[in-house]
Amino acid sequence: LELELMVDADMNSGIQFRSKSSPAYNNGRVHGYQMEVDPSDRAWSGGIYDEARRGWLYPLELNAEAKTAFKKGAWNKYRIEAIGNTIRTWVNGVPAANLVDSLTERGFIALQVHSISNNEQAGKQIKWRNINIQTKNLKASPPDKIETVNLVPNTLSAQEKHNGFTLLFDGKSMDQWRGAYKNDFPKTGWSIGNGVLSVAKANGAESTNGGDIVTKKQYSAFEMKFDFKLTKGANSGVKYFVTESEGNKGSAIGLEYQILDDERHPDAKLGKNGNRTLGSLYDLITSKKIPAAQREIGEWNQGIIRVYPDNKVEYWLNGHQILEYTRGSQEFLDLVAGSKYKNWKNFGMASEGHLLLQDHGDKVSYRSLKIKELN
């Protein structure tokens, strides 16, 4: 679909596609995918929102370069490619979003107009022109470099492959993993079912059942993507730069992306200023608590750990950046000196290490484990 639009600067709108309306769903409310029209300072035009269903699927925090593509007070050219499970958007020729999702395969297209909530909005306009659609002989545009949000479990899209991602777990095999401080994968404590890897509920203690698992390969600069699902009161974590050189008991030592039920697990109230809560750099830096990034316990979340060659590290949760720091900076070293890791020599500063999924004695599930090495 291609069209042009112009909107008053203080309005919000969107293009619905593969959308539905039926009396059985929310009294007929339109629901489905929407390409955003957002002239506000947030500048998420071109992002993908799931209207009246799941909310934001591709916020433009994932692709900051596209925020400047939309022109206020001018005609803007929008393009949507929805071919199979792959949905891509462009604003004035700039790639905006790349989503892979299988929830809705077909539906109607609609041009959205929001209701008027105050008198100042009366008379504001959005204009549309040159609306064209192609439904046959479709050919996908070539891959580009922007981030992909893939909601189809344990798969790699064409763009993810093009950009260098590989699977660490394909939904069936654990041949890239072994137990921490072990030669083989644990015989108990971990299970695979319906494409999901789960650590079993035990006594809530570190590594007392199946134990942590680590990648056989070690990584230095990388981007790791992972889906995770918590049960009530559960605790786990994804660690990196794990060297297994400490020979310690309990969970192997490494930098950690905390995975926790903040409301019910006592660890959320320990540490300093919430630095043991969900998405935090465990016991060191508290993650930002962004409402749009939060999911209910029992729902799937998408996490990202991105480590650049210059040691800058980012944590992402459900499309939002929640934390940033630099390994080896004075700030980082000072934080370590005041943490539970202060007695571990050169904590977190290995040049490379294993990735780790933690067994903390609670049931937590993982899927869509992906890695891309960064140069």
Side-chain angles (χ1 to χ4, degrees), residues 5-22:
L5 61 91
M6 181 188 294
V7 61
D8 280 322
D10 54 356
M11 285 186 67
N12 178 278
S13 185
I15 304 166
Q16 293 290 141
F17 60 99
R18 290 185 177 178
S19 293
K20 306 284 186 180
S21 174
S22 66

Side-chain angles (χ1 to χ4, degrees), residues 240-257:
Y240 50 107
F241 291 108
V242 174
T243 65
E244 299 175 299
S245 61
E246 295 84 2
N248 66 301
K249 295 181 180 180
S251 185
I253 299 300
L255 298 163
E256 181 175 353
Y257 183 121

Side-chain angles (χ1 to χ4, degrees), residues 169 190-191 193 195-200 226-231 234-236 238 259 298-301 357-358 362-369:
F169 172 62
W190 292 84
S191 62
V196 175
L197 171 67
S198 297
V199 57
F226 52 96
D227 290 3
F228 65 92
K229 181 170 66 173
L230 285 155
T231 55
N235 185 351
S236 184
V238 178
I259 294 176
E299 294 183 0
W300 284 102
N301 299 266
L357 302 182
Q358 186 183 48
D362 297 313
K363 183 175 181 180
V364 178
S365 298
Y366 294 92
R367 70 184 186 190
S368 298
L369 306 176

Side-chain angles (χ1 to χ4, degrees), residues 259-333:
I259 294 176
L260 194 77
D261 178 353
D262 291 345
E263 181 181 347
R264 299 173 181 86
H265 197 284
D267 214 19
K269 297 178 177 60
L270 302 178
K272 299 176 182 178
N273 303 316
N275 64 8
R276 296 187 180 184
T277 55
L278 175 65
S280 295
L281 173 60
Y282 180 76
D283 209 51
L284 296 172
I285 303 175
T286 306
S287 63
K288 296 177 183 177
K289 307 308 177 189
I290 301 173
Q294 304 298 311
R295 298 285 186 271
E296 296 292 331
I297 299 300
E299 294 183 0
W300 284 102
N301 299 266
Q302 291 199 326
I304 298 175
I305 300 170
R306 191 177 292 138
V307 181
Y308 294 94
D310 64 359
N311 283 323
K312 177 184 173 183
V313 182
E314 297 174 356
Y315 285 8
W316 292 72
L317 177 64
N318 297 320
H320 298 268
Q321 186 176 336
I322 55 172
L323 187 148
E324 179 179 307
Y325 74 99
T326 300
R327 288 199 311 148
S329 66
Q330 190 59 54
E331 179 186 14
F332 173 80
L333 297 175

Side-chain angles (χ1 to χ4, degrees), residues 144-148 156 159-169 176 215 217-226 241 303-309 355 368-375:
D144 52 50
K145 293 293 185 180
I146 72 169
E147 193 74 33
T148 301
L156 290 172
Q159 181 141 316
E160 287 175 301
K161 292 177 183 177
H162 174 78
N163 289 337
F165 280 95
T166 59
L167 288 173
L168 289 169
F169 172 62
Q176 298 185 69
T215 56
K217 185 175 178 179
Q218 298 190 57
Y219 299 91
S220 52
F222 63 88
E223 180 175 338
M224 181 190 185
K225 296 183 178 182
F226 52 96
F241 291 108
I304 298 175
I305 300 170
R306 191 177 292 138
V307 181
Y308 294 94
L355 307 174
S368 298
L369 306 176
K370 305 173 183 181
I371 191 77
K372 172 186 177 181
E373 296 192 64
L374 303 178
N375 298 318

Side-chain angles (χ1 to χ4, degrees), residues 23-64:
Y25 186 91
N26 206 356
N27 295 318
R29 180 174 175 179
V30 171
H31 58 280
Y33 304 110
Q34 178 189 136
M35 182 180 180
E36 181 76 358
V37 178
D38 178 18
S40 74
D41 292 339
R42 183 181 65 173
W44 282 7
S45 290
I48 298 175
Y49 184 77
D50 196 2
E51 175 71 31
R53 206 160 49 175
R54 294 170 294 176
W56 280 102
L57 303 179
Y58 199 109
L60 279 204
E61 297 307 303
L62 288 165
N63 183 15

